[in-house]
C-alpha cells in the first residue's frame, strides 16, 4: 500500500484515519504503536505483553489547529513561551503542523522505523522563525522506543529550543517517583526560583521543573510494579511535569480527574541550552525509552 507521499508501507505499518487525522499504525511481533502526521506525534507505544507506556488524554483535541494532549508532542522551535516569554504559539509551531512521512521500514525482528519531516514551507505561520530549515523525527519502535529529533539549518543560522514532551502512563502519580536527578539544579516554574534536587522526585502537588541534567532517569511506577528507563542524548535539560488538581481543571483538553494517571519526563534543550546552528549544520537530540 502506498500513501499520498508515495512511501511504500511495509507489512506491519498501515495508514489509518484516527480521530479524523492521518496516522500510521504499527503492529508487529514486538508490539504496537500509533504516529500521527499532525505534529509527527507518537501517541501510542505498547510493547508486546506490556501495558501502554504512553498516556493520552480522553479529552485531547484532534484538530488541525490544536496540539494533541498526551503521547509525545514535539516542541520546536521554542519551549513554552520561549526565552523571552513572548513567543506564540506555546511550545512552538511544530506540534501544530502536518509533517510528511519520508521513510517506513520494518526489520525482520519486527522493529519498525518511521521518519517524518517538516520544512518551513509546510508551516502556515512561522512567527518570525527562518523558513530555511528541515526538522526530522526518526522513530524506532520495538521493545525500545527510540526517538531522534534532527534539525538542519539551510542558508541561515538557527537558534532554537526543542523538547520531546513525553507523557508517561503511571498507575498512581502519588506512588510514582523519578530517579536520576539527585543533585541536579532546577528551575521551579511553580514556586519560582532555582533549587537543587535531593534524592528522587516525588509528586505531592503541581510540579513543573526544568532540570539542568543530561542524565538517564527512571520512572518508578510502584502501584503498577513497573519501572521505565528514559535515556537521552544531546539533551541538557529534563522537564518534569504534573498539573495536579487546579491546573488540570483549567485546561480544556485535559480531563479534571486524569492527572493521577500521568507524568511528563521530557527530553529538552531550552533556555541557556538552546541549540545554535550555523548554515548547513545539523543537531540531533534523542531519547530511548525502555521497560526495566
Ligand atoms: C510543560 C511545561 O512542559 O508543558 C508546563 O513545563 C506546561 O509549564 C506543560 O503547562 C503543558 O503545556 P501545553 O502548552 O501543552 O499546555
Amino acid at each position: 500500500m502506498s500513501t499520498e507521499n508515495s512511501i511504500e508501507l511495509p507489512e506491519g505499518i498501515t495508514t489509518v484515519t484516527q480521530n479524523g487525522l492521518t496516522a500510521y499504525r504499527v503492529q508487529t511481533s514486538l508490539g504496537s504503536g500509533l504516529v500521527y502526521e499532525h505534529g509527527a506525534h507518537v501517541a501510542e507505544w505498547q510493547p508486546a505483553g506490556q501495558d501502554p507506556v504512553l498516556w493520552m488524554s480522553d479529552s485531547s483535541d484532534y484538530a488541525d489547529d490544536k496540539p494533541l494532549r498526551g503521547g509525545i508532542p514535539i516542541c520546536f522551535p521554542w519551549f513554552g513561551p520561549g526565552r523571552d516569554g513572548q513567543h506564540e504559539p506555546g511550545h512552538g509551531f511544530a506540534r501544530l503542523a502536518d509533517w510528511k512521512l519520508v521513510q517506513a521500514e520494518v526489520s525482520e525482528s519486527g522493529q519498525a522505523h518511521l521518519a517524518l519531516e517538516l520544512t518551513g514551507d509546510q508551516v502556515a505561520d512561522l512567527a518570525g522563525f527562518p523558513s530555511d530549515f528541515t526538522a526530522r523525527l526518526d522513530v524506532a519502535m520495538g521493545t525500545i522506543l527510540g526517538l531522534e529529533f534532527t534539525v538542519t539549518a539551510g542558508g541561515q543560522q538557527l537558534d532554537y529550543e526543542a523538547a520531546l514532551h513525553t507523557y508517561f502512563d503511571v498507575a498512581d502519580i502519588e506512588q510514582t517517583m523519578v530517579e536520576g536527578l539527585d543533585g541536579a539544579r532546577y528551575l521551579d516554574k511553580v514556586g519560582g526560583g532555582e533549587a537543587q534536587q535531593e534524592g528522587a522526585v516525588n509528586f505531592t502537588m503541581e510540579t513543573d521543573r526544568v532540570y539542568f541534567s543530561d542524565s538517564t532517569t527512571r520512572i518508578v511506577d510502584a502501584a503498577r510494579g513497573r519501572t521505565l528507563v528514559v535515556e537521552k542524548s544531546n539533551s541538557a535539560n529534563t522537564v518534569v511535569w504534573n498539573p495536579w488538581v487546579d491546573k488540570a481543571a483549567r485546561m480544556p483538553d485535559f480531563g479534571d480527574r486524569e492527572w493521577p494517571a500521568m507524568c511528563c519526563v521530557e527530553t529538552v534543550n531550552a533556555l541557556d541550552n538552546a541549540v545554535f546552528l550555523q548554515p548547513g549544520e545539523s543537531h540531533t537530540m534523542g531519547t530511548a525509552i525502555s521497560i526495566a
Side-chain angles (χ1 to χ4, degrees), residues 2 10 12 15 67 102 115 119 123 148 150 157 168 170 172 190 194 199 215 218 229 241 246 263 273:
S2 62
T15 180
V102 294
T119 52
V123 180
E148 288 193 340
T150 303
Q157 295 176 334
F168 290 98
V170 296
D172 178 4
V190 177
E194 280 198 23
S215 299
R218 293 165 64 88
V229 182
W241 180 60
D246 294 346
C263 77
N273 298 115

Side-chain angles (χ1 to χ4, degrees), residues 238-257:
T238 295
V239 171
V240 177
W241 180 60
N242 180 287
W244 222 253
V245 181
D246 294 346
K247 186 156 180 176
R250 288 197 301 273
M251 290 189 290
D253 62 341
F254 195 117
D256 290 359
R257 303 160 83 98

